[in-house]
Amino acid sequence: QKYFVLALHAAKEAGDRPLGSYVLSSMSRQMIHLGRPDDALELIHLGQYGSRESATPRTQAMLYAMEGRAYANMGQPAKVKRAVSMAEDCFGDCEPGDGDPDWIRFFSEAELYGENAHSFRDLAYVAGRSPTYASLAEPLMRRAVELFAEDSEHQRSYALNLIGMATVHLLRREPEESATYATRAMQIAKKVRSERVNTRIRKTVDTAVRDYGDLAAVVDLSDQLAVDLPETAEAV
C-alpha cells in the first residue's frame, strides 16, 4: 500500500491520469485479495472517473474488468455482467496506433478473458459455490488458457489461469478435469518459481482433497504436489 500511494502521488505530480488509474486498479486488486471488495470498488471508480477522457480503450477495458471483479466479490451478478460486457466492448475498440502507454500493453486478449472468467468464478464462490456462475466462467477461462499457452513471455499468468480453470471444474463438480488442469499448473509452477502461484495451487489441491479425497485422480494430484511443490521449496 505504501508503494502504491507513492506511485499514485508520482502519477499526479506528472499529470498522468491514465497511469494514476492503473495504480488505483492495482490497489483495487489488492483490496479484493484482502477481502475488501467495497474498498476495491471505490478505488476502481476513482480510477475510471479520473481518466474517463484520457484513457485508451485498452485501459478502459482493464478498468471495467477490475470493476467486474469487485462486483463479483460483492455478490452483484447483474453489475458483474454489465462490467464484463463493457470490458469486452472497450477491448473491441482497441486498434493499432491507439497510443497505448507501455504499462498497459500487458492487457492482452488473454488477460481480458482471464479477468472476466475470474469475475464469474469469484461470483460462483460468493453465491455458495454456484455451478451456474462457474459455467459462465468456464468458456472464458478456457479461452484464456488457450491464449496464454501460446505466450511464452507470460508463463505465470498461464499458470494462474490453469489454476483458475481447475477451480472452475471443482465448482462444477468435475474433480477429474480439475486435477488435469492443476497438474498442468504444477508443471509451469516449477519453472516460474512464484509463491503466489504455489499458494494458489496448494489451496486448490487442498479443496479437491477435502471434497473428493477418495478419488484416485485427486489422490495422485496430492501426491504429485508433495513431490513438485513441497512446502519447504524455495520460492520468490
Side-chain angles (χ1 to χ4, degrees):
Q1 288 178 343
K2 174 183 175 181
Y3 288 117
F4 281 143
V5 171
L6 286 172
L8 193 59
H9 284 306
K12 182 179 180 180
E13 191 73 16
D16 193 335
R17 289 192 173 188
L19 178 57
S21 73
Y22 174 60
V23 175
L24 286 165
S25 76
S26 298
M27 296 172 75
S28 174
R29 185 185 298 278
Q30 184 185 50
M31 291 298 102
I32 289 171
H33 291 324
L34 292 173
R36 294 164 57 181
D38 291 358
D39 291 335
L41 185 65
E42 182 177 352
L43 288 165
I44 208 67
H45 281 169
L46 283 173
Q48 290 171 321
Y49 178 79
S51 64
R52 65 190 184 281
E53 296 178 357
S54 54
T56 63
R58 191 180 303 272
T59 300
Q60 292 174 19
M62 180 273 295
L63 293 170
Y64 276 119
M66 285 307 302
E67 183 183 36
R69 294 292 302 273
Y71 279 130
N73 283 270
M74 295 170 68
Q76 298 191 29
K79 292 183 178 179
V80 172
K81 292 175 182 178
R82 178 187 178 277
V84 164
S85 178
M86 292 297 293
E88 293 174 346
D89 289 346
C90 287
F91 194 87
D93 291 337
C94 294
E95 295 181 0
D98 275 343
D100 283 320
D102 289 342
W103 48 259
I104 195 57
R105 291 179 185 171
F106 81 94
F107 196 75
S108 61
E109 185 181 14
E111 289 283 352
L112 173 71
Y113 277 111
E115 289 290 1
N116 287 345
H118 277 90
S119 288
F120 287 120
R121 192 281 309 269
D122 293 353
L123 186 60
Y125 276 116
V126 173
R129 297 172 63 89
S130 164
T132 300
Y133 293 130
S135 294
L136 293 177
E138 194 274 337
L140 300 175
M141 195 80 78
R142 178 168 12 95
R143 183 56 180 154
V145 166
E146 292 170 352
L147 291 169
F148 277 121
E150 301 169 358
D151 183 355
S152 61
E153 295 184 4
H154 296 90
Q155 290 295 285
R156 189 181 77 152
S157 293
Y158 180 31
L160 289 170
N161 280 275
L162 285 169
I163 299 164
M165 195 65 161
T167 61
V168 165
H169 281 296
L170 283 178
L171 287 164
R172 295 183 61 180
R173 302 180 180 90
E174 299 166 343
E176 291 90 350
E177 289 84 351
S178 176
T180 297
Y181 281 99
T183 299
R184 288 171 61 184
M186 279 193 282
Q187 293 168 353
I188 303 298
K190 290 189 294 183
K191 302 175 185 177
V192 300
R193 300 178 64 79
S194 164
E195 189 56 28
R196 180 182 173 195
V197 169
N198 294 351
T199 298
R200 291 196 181 186
I201 291 175
R202 292 184 187 113
K203 183 177 179 180
T204 302
V205 174
D206 286 346
T207 300
V209 170
R210 183 192 67 207
D211 294 344
Y212 303 100
D214 295 334
L215 200 66
V218 174
V219 172
D220 291 343
L221 177 65
S222 181
D223 291 343
Q224 194 63 44
L225 176 68
V227 174
D228 290 346
L229 299 176
E231 291 283 355
T232 56
E234 180 183 356
V236 294

